[in-house]
Amino acid sequence: MSNDEGMTIFEKIIRREIPAEIVWEDDDVLAFRDVNPQAPVHVLIVPKRAVARLADATEADGALLGKLLLASRQVAEKLDLLKSGYRVVINSGPDAGESVPHLHLHVLGKRALAWPPG
Ligand code: AMP
């Protein structure tokens, strides 16, 4: 989903060039509602520093990956998911259905989620 300049839609959201419903943010991470929600709560969490996908992460990204997981817990607390439960998903590459080449965690909650995923 890169545009002609090679900037993904998530980079544009991070730069506030296109709107999104932001639910949580710190210096390194931005969380916003998915435009096509698959559950009553469906939030995306992205690093502000672009990493294309989990498969491209390196040792140097270790702290950032930890921050993303901790951010998912912050989002879950803010949106009242801690007790009912929630799922965190990362789609990396074609077989997983990755559609935006900027690493993102999906946080899904407020309904019972089937397992295994499709
Ligand atoms: P993935 O398939 O894991 O790459 O997930 C990409 C997600 O980005 C999908 O769930 C889309 O619905 C979501 N998405 C695409 N464009 C936007 C946007 N402008 N604002 C919020 N979410 C978006």
Side-chain angles (χ1 to χ4, degrees), residues 9-10 13 33-36 44 91 97-100 104 106:
I9 198 144
F10 293 169
I13 289 172
R33 303 255 182 197
D34 195 294
V35 77
N36 182 24
L44 301 175
N91 295 320
E98 175 202 303
S99 61
V100 181
H104 48 284
H106 298 255

Side-chain angles (χ1 to χ4, degrees), residues 27 36 43-44 64 97:
D27 287 346
N36 182 24
V43 170
L44 301 175
L64 186 59

